[in-house]
Amino acid sequence: MAAEVVTSLRRVLSHMSQISQTFSRAPPTLVAVSKTKPVDMIQLAYDAGHRHFGENYIQELTTKAPLLPREIQWHFIGHLQTNKCKQLLSVPNLYMVESVDSERLATQLNKACVTVGREERLKVLVQINTSDEATKFGADAKECISLVKHVVHKCPRLEFSGLMTIGRLDSAPPTDCFKLLVECRKQVADELKTEPQSLDLSMGMSGDYELAIQLGSTIIRIGSTIFGARDYSKKTEQPAITSSSQHQEQEQQQQQQEQTQIHITTTKSANASS
Ligand SMILES: *Cc1c(COP(=O)(O)O)cnc(C)c1O
């Protein structure tokens, strides 16, 4: 398993650079999405030189981050509850929050930066729901500009860096989702009187990153292709991108906590035996 992570990581990176060349694009940043995976695996990818990692549960991120090198650049990519902002900001090497989907959340994140005394501004992406699936998080495309303006003008501790979306997950390629995100970026850039290319587009996962790169993605978030399939033993769906009701969310967080505990146990026993 150890060798496989590094092999898969290198394979993805070289595939990404091939695709980028084919479509004359600059190679995007690869965020290795390590949710549900043990810290040992993350460490292996880190030792192979990788720095950008993504998590989507506060509890899991705040448990794993202190066990791993400070040089890791963490991306938070999950749905964030406003009352968890301070906890998230307790991770000193939090690099970017990709999933800002409301003004209220942006305001709370900004406040949390002040509370914890974070020195650099926190990079944020505004998450857009481009697939009109009612269950998925993200702001409506038509709210995009007002939300971005709120971040830019009312949240001085945040650094607006671009847009993020999760493409539709059914079998049809999410071309329309990615094109809508590109269009949103253009409108935002016009509004801010800047170049679209100066803003990030985080789109593309294991199943659709080739298409995403073709359409101009600058950040790709890949989990299972690098770390292997995730095991949500008790669930059939992927929590990060499907939950809607509070109840479901709580259940997932609890489950995530259990998983995190298992990871730590694994790590400890691994250390003990070495
Ligand atoms: C889990 C997750 C990913 C990675 O998904 P894979 O299909 O395993 O590559 C990317 N983005 C978000 C927001 C996720 O929750």
Side-chain angles (χ1 to χ4, degrees), residues 33 35 56 77 164 166 205-206 221-224 230 240-241:
V33 178
K35 61 190 184 196
N56 66 337
I77 61 174
M164 181 273 235
I166 298 170
M205 302 168 36
S206 289
R221 312 174 308 266
I222 294 185
S224 43
R230 285 179 295 277
I241 37 205

Side-chain angles (χ1 to χ4, degrees), residues 132-150:
D132 54 58
E133 282 165 51
T135 52
K136 218 181 280 170
F137 295 108
D140 270 5
K142 55 185 187 312
E143 298 163 5
C144 177
I145 290 193
S146 58
L147 180 47
V148 167
K149 280 164 80 178
H150 176 83

Side-chain angles (χ1 to χ4, degrees), residues 160 185-186 188-199:
F160 172 69
R185 180 176 69 168
K186 189 179 171 294
V188 166
D190 282 353
E191 184 69 32
L192 301 179
K193 302 194 178 8
T194 181
E195 291 302 315
Q197 287 73 17
S198 70
L199 300 172

Side-chain angles (χ1 to χ4, degrees), residues 7-248:
T7 309
S8 307
L9 174 67
R10 298 216 165 110
R11 199 180 292 133
V12 168
L13 283 167
S14 97
H15 191 213
M16 279 173 56
S17 99
Q18 255 178 38
I19 301 166
S20 307
Q21 273 180 9
T22 305
F23 297 108
S24 312
R25 303 276 187 187
T29 300
L30 172 62
V31 176
V33 178
S34 49
K35 61 190 184 196
T36 80
K37 300 298 177 182
V39 289
D40 318 45
M41 282 176 105
I42 303 173
Q43 183 73 49
L44 287 171
Y46 177 89
D47 292 340
H50 201 70
R51 292 297 177 267
H52 290 270
F53 292 87
E55 288 283 344
N56 66 337
Y57 283 96
I58 298 278
Q59 178 71 32
E60 189 173 350
L61 175 60
T62 54
T63 310
K64 286 170 167 181
L67 304 171
L68 287 158
R70 262 296 279 271
E71 288 70 25
I72 285 185
Q73 298 178 297
W74 289 108
H75 294 236
F76 189 78
I77 61 174
H79 177 64
L80 182 54
Q81 292 167 302
T82 46
N83 63 351
K84 297 285 167 61
C85 291
K86 214 177 118 187
Q87 204 185 339
L88 178 60
L89 264 296
S90 74
V91 176
N93 47 332
L94 177 67
Y95 175 78
M96 178 182 268
V97 175
E98 298 204 8
S99 41
V100 171
D101 59 2
S102 72
E103 293 189 3
R104 215 160 67 89
L105 179 58
T107 302
Q108 290 307 315
L109 268 179
N110 187 71
K111 225 181 241 176
C113 289
V114 177
T115 310
V116 304
R118 185 181 165 107
E119 282 179 14
E120 337 115 80
R121 292 196 298 157
L122 175 64
K123 291 183 197 297
V124 299
L125 304 181
V126 163
Q127 180 177 358
I128 305 294
N129 181 344
T130 53
S131 64
D132 54 58
E133 282 165 51
T135 52
K136 218 181 280 170
F137 295 108
D140 270 5
K142 55 185 187 312
E143 298 163 5
C144 177
I145 290 193
S146 58
L147 180 47
V148 167
K149 280 164 80 178
H150 176 83
V151 173
V152 170
H153 299 303
K154 304 276 171 60
C155 304
R157 300 313 305 149
L158 306 184
E159 179 183 340
F160 172 69
S161 304
L163 305 176
M164 181 273 235
T165 199
I166 298 170
R168 203 185 318 93
L169 296 169
D170 61 23
S171 49
T175 313
D176 51 337
C177 303
F178 294 164
K179 285 189 170 163
L180 179 55
L181 199 70
V182 173
E183 177 56 30
C184 287
R185 180 176 69 168
K186 189 179 171 294
Q187 289 176 12
V188 166
D190 282 353
E191 184 69 32
L192 301 179
K193 302 194 178 8
T194 181
E195 291 302 315
Q197 287 73 17
S198 70
L199 300 172
D200 277 315
L201 280 181
S202 176
M203 56 188 199
M205 302 168 36
S206 289
D208 54 22
Y209 70 90
E210 178 155 5
L211 176 67
I213 295 172
Q214 182 181 350
L215 295 176
S217 174
T218 66
I219 299 177
I220 304 280
R221 312 174 308 266
I222 294 185
S224 43
T225 301
I226 296 171
F227 294 108
R230 285 179 295 277
D231 178 15
Y232 296 109
S233 355
K234 285 177 288 181
K235 291 194 75 82
T236 52
E237 290 178 313
Q238 301 186 350
I241 37 205
T242 50
S243 91
S244 53
S245 71
Q246 279 275 340
H247 171 73
Q248 210 181 355

